[in-house]
Amino acid sequence: MSLYQLQKFLYELNRDSGVQRRYQADLEELLEEYDLSDEEAGALRDGDVGLLYVLGVNGQILMHYAAFLGIEWFDYLQMMRTGIEKHGAVRDGIYAMTGGGESFTAEETNR
Amino acid sequence: MSLVYAGVCSHAPGITGRANLVENTALRDEFYEHLEAMRTDIADAGAEALVVIAAEHFANFFMNNMPAYCIGMSDKYYGPIEDPQWLGIEKRDIPGNADLSRRLTIEVMNTIDVAYAEEWKFDHGIMVPLNFLTPNYDMPIVPVNINCQGPPLTPLPRAWKFGEALRRACDSVDEKIALVATGGISHWPATPDSGKINEPWDRDFLDRLMRHDKAALLDYDDVQTYADAGQGGFEIRTFIAAAAAAGVPGTLQFYTAELPIFAVGCTVAKFDL
């Protein structure tokens, strides 16, 4: 149930400019409206994309959140890999990493 | 016969958002040229409205109330929800046609319990194709969604029936309708595996799609699709619905797995109406 609440927070943040303004103005007040674990709330406070990925947030929701935070594409990919190194495999959802964290694009490898 | 065009194309956000990162710019531009050819085909067919069957990504629908199928029913839409700099597409209003949507929806409802939505925010699943197909945003859009993100997902035979219902709906109105399904085939988007593509799986699926082989298209199961084609493979539902709507074989105009920076096998195809 908690992952549902975590994803709902991000879903509403991603699509609603009013929620985005509240996020900027008072994140703590916004967080109180969702039934989140301490780990989940902490990941949102820190903008910890790697931990959110491991917690099982749907990749589409996570990708849009990373864009909202202004995270560049290759940095976003690396943050997920770092999250796995730090916290272990993805715990839930359908967006688990299938390989060993290698890059699948020459553009990332060559940068 | 009011369906005057039917096709499929990719919608991955990198197609616009990461255009400047591409090393193989010649292949990128060839892909763009085929999307431009799709635009001119739609215009040459005399289309007066464009139905876009998309697999939306939590721009409107969440697991609190997730429709298997939904049709937009508004005179005006808005998008993209994503950061415009990230997607490479500015936020804007997009024209719709609520009256046309209502007539289409009523006909679809004869066989499919479709949801409708009088407001709809587009994400990359619709905005990326529109960036190429209606760059002046001068054609009314009828957005259609098939849930491909939040399991349980609609079974493939139902997606086929939904496509058939859309065809009956398009043929029941006076307007000339173009229909484009957008999605990916095998891909692992928004994960560290982004750029991974199962090209043989893609080509086999596209072969089934272009042959209009209904039995072969409906022969996938989600467990195997997830293993072979990733969670992105669930989006074959939109292409299958388009094939059912078209009712005829098609022509693969472009496919490449050599632009992995776009995180999908880039595809442009049309059905031979």
Side-chain angles (χ1 to χ4, degrees):
Chain A
M1 190 61 188
S2 199
L3 176 60
Y4 172 87
Q5 291 284 321
L6 176 62
Q7 293 190 111
K8 188 173 183 183
F9 176 98
L10 293 169
Y11 160 72
E12 292 178 340
L13 177 68
N14 286 343
R15 72 182 300 275
D16 191 326
S17 58
V19 177
Q20 291 170 5
R21 283 192 292 273
R22 293 185 61 201
Y23 174 95
Q24 303 291 359
D26 193 340
L27 174 57
E28 290 304 318
E29 183 185 84
L30 189 61
L31 287 172
E32 285 178 7
E33 296 180 14
Y34 299 83
D35 186 11
L36 301 168
S37 70
D38 290 344
E39 186 178 43
E40 292 163 343
L44 293 172
R45 286 190 190 94
D46 297 340
D48 190 340
V49 166
L51 178 54
L52 292 169
Y53 177 61
V54 169
L55 291 173
V57 171
N58 182 288
Q60 299 293 334
I61 293 175
L62 189 63
M63 179 175 69
H64 291 170
Y65 171 62
F68 167 72
L69 293 180
I71 297 170
E72 298 293 336
W73 179 247
F74 294 133
D75 293 336
Y76 164 67
L77 300 181
Q78 190 53 49
M79 289 174 82
M80 288 187 286
R81 296 185 186 110
T82 301
I84 286 176
E85 289 171 10
K86 190 173 177 182
H87 304 287
V90 173
R91 301 173 194 171
D92 205 343
I94 60 172
Y95 274 75
M97 189 171 77
T98 62
E102 70 276 23
S103 174
F104 286 86
T105 70
E107 287 85 352
E108 184 178 18
T109 304
N110 296 337
R111 75 169 176 150
Chain B
M1 297 287 282
S2 291
L3 185 69
V4 296
Y5 177 90
V8 301
C9 70
S10 308
H11 71 212
I15 293 169
T16 50
R18 297 193 287 281
N20 293 332
L21 296 179
V22 176
E23 291 186 355
N24 191 343
T25 55
L27 189 58
R28 175 199 66 188
D29 292 345
E30 186 182 347
F31 174 40
Y32 291 166
E33 287 167 9
H34 281 86
L35 289 167
E36 168 64 9
M38 178 179 268
R39 183 192 71 77
T40 57
D41 283 349
I42 291 170
D44 291 347
E48 299 167 281
L50 175 61
V51 173
V52 182
I53 307 175
E56 78 123 47
H57 315 83
F58 301 106
N60 304 274
F61 310 115
F62 189 66
M63 280 74 79
N64 59 343
N65 189 5
M66 178 65 79
Y69 306 100
C70 189
I71 297 177
M73 207 163 69
S74 176
D75 286 326
K76 187 171 70 173
Y77 303 99
Y78 176 80
I81 66 157
E82 294 96 332
D83 178 81
Q85 189 175 5
W86 179 83
L87 188 59
I89 300 175
E90 291 298 319
K91 292 181 183 289
R92 59 167 300 127
D93 291 334
I94 299 103
N97 183 332
D99 176 65
L100 172 63
S101 286
R102 185 174 293 104
R103 285 179 279 127
L104 294 171
T105 301
I106 288 170
E107 174 56 37
V108 169
M109 280 180 168
N110 283 318
T111 50
I112 297 287
D113 295 320
V114 67
Y116 62 84
E118 293 196 22
E119 59 177 297
W120 193 307
K121 293 179 178 178
F122 294 171
D123 66 29
H124 63 265
I126 294 180
M127 292 304 294
V128 169
L130 293 189
N131 180 71
F132 296 95
L133 302 181
T134 63
N136 298 321
Y137 298 94
D138 51 2
M139 184 180 295
I141 305 302
V142 177
V144 176
N145 187 58
I146 301 177
N147 171 29
C148 300
Q149 283 293 331
L153 307 177
T154 189
L156 299 185
R158 295 291 294 166
W160 184 274
K161 288 184 181 297
F162 181 59
E164 291 179 326
L166 279 174
R167 174 57 181 271
R168 285 192 292 272
C170 291
D171 288 347
S172 73
V173 299
D174 291 333
E175 291 91 339
K176 293 180 178 177
I177 308 292
L179 180 150
V180 172
T182 81
I185 318 174
S186 73
H187 62 314
W188 288 255
T191 74
D193 305 323
S194 177
K196 180 180 176 181
I197 295 164
N198 185 342
E199 182 175 355
W201 197 92
D202 283 2
R203 291 194 179 278
D204 178 58
F205 173 80
L206 290 169
D207 180 60
R208 301 181 196 199
L209 192 75
M210 296 294 93
R211 285 189 285 112
H212 195 67
D213 189 336
K214 176 182 176 183
L217 283 169
L218 303 186
D219 194 35
Y220 295 95
D221 72 81
D222 281 348
V223 173
Q224 196 60 46
T225 295
Y226 185 69
D228 295 338
Q231 68 289 115
F234 295 153
E235 291 182 347
I236 60 173
R237 285 165 171 77
T238 68
F239 285 18
I240 287 173
V248 292
T251 304
L252 180 62
Q253 297 161 297
F254 183 81
Y255 172 85
T256 183
E258 300 303 320
L259 289 168
I261 188 65
F262 289 166
V264 72
C266 297
T267 307
V268 179
K270 66 177 178 182
F271 296 98
D272 302 325
L273 294 181

